Amino acid sequence: MNIRRLLGLDTRADRYAYAVDSAAGYTSARRIPDRWVATTCGYCSVGCGMFIGVKDGRAVGVRGNPDHPVNAGVLCPKGLSEHETIQAGTRSTRPLFRRSRAAAFARISWADATRTMAEKFRDVQRRHGPDSVGVVSTGQLVTEEFYTLGKLAQLGIGTRNYDGNTTLCMSTAVSGYKRSFGSDGPPGAYEDLERADVILLIGANIADNHPILWQRLDANPSKTLIVVDPRVTKTAMLADVHLPVKPRSDLALVNGIIHILIDSDLIDHAYIDEHTDGFDTLYESVREYTPDRVADITGLPVELIYRTASLYGNAKAAFIGWTMGVNHSSKGTETVNAINNLALITGNIGRCGAAPFSITGQCNAMGTREAGFTSSLPGYRKFEEPADREALATIWGVAVERVPTSRGLAYPDIIEAALEKKIRALWIIATNPVVSFPNYGVLKQALETLEFLVVQDGFETPTAAMAHLVLPAAIWGEKEGTYTNSERRVSKVNKAVEPPGEARADFQIFLDLAGALGCRDELFPGWTSPADAFEEWKRVSAGRLCDYSAMTYDEIEANGGMQWGGARLYTDGQFQTENGKARLLPTKWEPFPEPPNAQFPFVLNTGRTVEHWHTRTKTGTVPILERLSPRPWLEMNPRDGRALGLKPTERVDVISRRGVIRNLDLRLTETVGSGQVFVPFHWAEANANQATQSIVDPISREPNYKQSAVRVERSR
Ligand code: SF4
């Protein structure tokens, strides 16, 4: 009996992955490479090691690196076809400029492009102040580029308003770690998935979104897998226990588990006494989360809540993983703190198999977090700490007054500031907010309000179509540097082929703009390659939690990546707080902000699918992925479909108070509960963010992408 097929897991994508998995590699057009270049996958944060096959200067194939510690040669469908993105017909290949949005784009030289950009930025700053220029970057660059860009934005351009699209996915995990442990940094390692005896996944469909991690988890023969998710995802189908919670009730569930564990004395008193502060306050705060109340909030039977608490509390090594189900919430940071509380009071941290662990999204979201300049100064230094600012000023050879004393606006606040004309010029790098940012109508209005919009990207995107200046960038496979994956493993990224047309590496574009601004010699003296940035970054990170000082490119390559902080953080129970103790923090469940009503009776959930990535700028150009998943869809419970008189083959629209997602293929399926619907967020032509809200987590500033109230109608 094929269990996977029975569960509906034997999808076309799975078959494709397994088929090519066993082959030597995936090559296109029967072209056999004449050399293979070792690198790291440029899609997700799992950080799989791979080789790019090159023939006649073109990338013609990809195969997994069998010696890489992350993936041992296995790749998912996206990784296996990644070389196809390099040859995409939608690549941005030459700088383009227009004076106004009413005008057509015209070609411009690189020298004129960077000179124009420098002049426009300086003009706007003269008229409206230094912070009237905003910079929004991404988790797609190499760490050397983030470090360079941060220096350029804050010391060269001189704006504090620099942030990245990582605020749309991981800032909640960052905030939660900082509040609980005194610093960012996922404490665990992928090996923990293979060694834990209980694994609790909350809002994390890793079978679709981090497939190689799923394979590592699946290889653990003695695990009990508990999945908390309102949807019956692929991951939930394979769980030992699935908790189909009501949307956004996870925080109440975790507090309820803590309540039961304290009452049952299934907690680690020695660990709490030696390594944490705040137990009494936590104890008081969870008193109200009685099993009956939690059952009411979550919709789960009381027995299931007790069983989950018992499984977790009696585990020798318990692992908690989470992704966007937790982070995409206005209560996300508190939920992360509740997860950390649960791990801390049971001593499930800093040991093999035991960790609270955020599974990151983009290939180098971690690199942005380390290299800083957004929510921290580089090397997890604090803006408000004078000694941290002094240390950086000394390394950089600049007056300490030039180092910012507080963070600038976060990404959603930059967009809000653009709408209010506080930000007048914006530089967007390797991200596509027209599809990825919540509440499309507001975003569009904000971008249209700008005096000057620069979009730097490897692809022609809907966001670039709104720009005044378009800068064509090299992408994965065309440049060098390092990525850090979710387990803090720094891996090498290598150049296999030249970028198309006049496209340049982001690193080169940053140096060129620094030259046009007149700050290149001061900030980047003698720099010509990412290796120069890496050497300075090693000095900046020395002695910090994310210490790169002992790493070299050669050693990183030889080891299949190197984890900063060792395999696990906090093995000695010492945290990055003033007294070395972790903080147990009270958290409070609240209903989500936009409850359904008679006019908008469904709760909209958004998410990903295994074949596609973000806004499909890359995967939408790969024929095999497009064939596997060509159309956007809506998942609806059959009972709701019957009540609305809808049939499975129909096209439907999703309407919220803010906009309409049009022409979705209707899928009637029991994987979503009655009263809920699900839409993947990848498609520009059926933009899920037409319907989502502008509400953000007050601590992390991460948007509440989920739980929008909507109605569903047959498309006209
Ligand atoms: Fe790339 Fe992530 Fe797939 Fe690995 S799991 S091949 S890193 S997309």
Side-chain angles (χ1 to χ4, degrees), residues 90 92 96-98 100-106 428 431-435 440 443-444 447-448 453-457 459-471 617 684:
T90 51
S92 179
L96 300 170
F97 177 65
R98 58 182 175 180
S100 75
R101 289 206 179 79
F105 281 114
I428 295 175
T431 189
N432 186 18
V434 166
V435 186
Y440 166 78
L443 180 276
K444 180 167 177 284
L447 296 188
E448 286 172 348
L453 174 62
V454 186
V455 175
Q456 175 172 323
D457 206 298
F459 295 85
E460 296 164 350
T461 65
T463 307
M466 296 186 69
H468 297 92
L469 180 63
V470 175
L471 303 178
T617 48

Side-chain angles (χ1 to χ4, degrees), residues 417-675:
L419 202 58
E420 295 169 356
K421 296 191 174 182
K422 292 175 183 159
I423 297 269
R424 300 289 185 126
L426 185 61
W427 182 13
I428 295 175
I429 302 158
T431 189
N432 186 18
V434 166
V435 186
S436 60
F437 197 83
N439 198 348
Y440 166 78
V442 171
L443 180 276
K444 180 167 177 284
Q445 203 183 334
L447 296 188
E448 286 172 348
T449 305
L450 293 164
E451 285 182 33
F452 187 56
L453 174 62
V454 186
V455 175
Q456 175 172 323
D457 206 298
F459 295 85
E460 296 164 350
T461 65
T463 307
M466 296 186 69
H468 297 92
L469 180 63
V470 175
L471 303 178
I475 63 168
W476 169 91
E478 298 168 347
K479 58 183 186 177
E480 183 188 32
T482 53
Y483 292 155
T484 310
N485 73 359
S486 286
E487 60 168 358
R488 295 166 283 101
R489 181 178 298 278
V490 179
S491 290
K492 191 75 197 325
V493 177
N494 287 317
K495 178 176 177 174
V497 296
E498 292 297 325
E502 298 172 29
R504 288 184 178 176
D506 296 275
F507 181 77
Q508 188 59 49
I509 299 170
F510 301 150
L511 291 187
D512 291 345
L513 180 64
L517 288 164
C519 60
R520 179 168 176 170
D521 291 342
E522 184 203 19
L523 298 179
F524 315 109
W527 288 20
T528 56
S529 78
D532 298 316
F534 188 73
E535 288 307 312
E536 185 172 299
W537 168 236
K538 282 165 63 175
R539 287 194 286 127
V540 166
S541 65
R544 309 297 302 172
L545 191 63
C546 54
D547 190 339
Y548 278 55
S549 60
M551 296 185 197
T552 66
Y553 278 175
D554 286 346
E555 274 192 88
I556 292 169
E557 296 254 31
N559 290 296
M562 297 169 77
Q563 285 173 281
W564 57 254
R568 289 169 193 84
L569 301 181
Y570 313 129
T571 51
D572 57 359
Q574 289 300 302
F575 294 86
Q576 296 286 303
T577 53
E578 290 72 24
N579 64 2
K581 291 189 173 189
R583 303 179 191 113
L584 296 170
L585 298 165
T587 61
K588 189 172 175 53
W589 171 84
E590 286 170 7
F592 53 81
E594 192 177 67
N597 60 17
Q599 199 184 358
F600 300 102
F602 293 99
V603 180
L604 171 66
N605 188 2
T606 63
R608 283 170 50 187
T609 182
V610 66
E611 296 90 0
H612 284 299
W613 177 250
H614 283 192
T615 64
R616 287 172 61 256
T617 48
K618 291 162 98 173
T619 53
T621 69
V622 178
I624 183 78
L625 299 177
E626 276 294 274
R627 280 201 296 279
L628 290 166
S629 188
R631 289 258 320 136
W633 71 87
L634 171 94
E635 291 174 17
M636 172 181 269
N637 189 281
R639 273 167 290 163
D640 293 331
R642 271 195 300 277
L644 291 173
L646 296 169
K647 297 189 178 61
T649 52
E650 293 193 271
R651 295 267 169 94
V652 292
D653 296 345
V654 173
I655 300 128
S656 81
R657 291 176 176 85
R658 294 157 293 279
V660 184
I661 316 170
R662 295 190 191 281
N663 277 321
L664 296 156
D665 289 347
L666 177 62
R667 293 184 184 177
L668 296 178
T669 166
E670 296 282 353
T671 58
V672 289
S674 183

Side-chain angles (χ1 to χ4, degrees), residues 57-69:
R58 286 168 60 85
V60 295
V62 161
R63 65 182 168 89
N65 180 347
D67 299 322
H68 200 278

Side-chain angles (χ1 to χ4, degrees), residues 41 43-44 46-48 50 75-76 78-79 210-212:
C41 180
Y43 280 114
C44 91
V46 175
C48 295
M50 54 164 51
L75 298 172
C76 82
K78 290 191 286 288
H210 301 85
I212 303 305

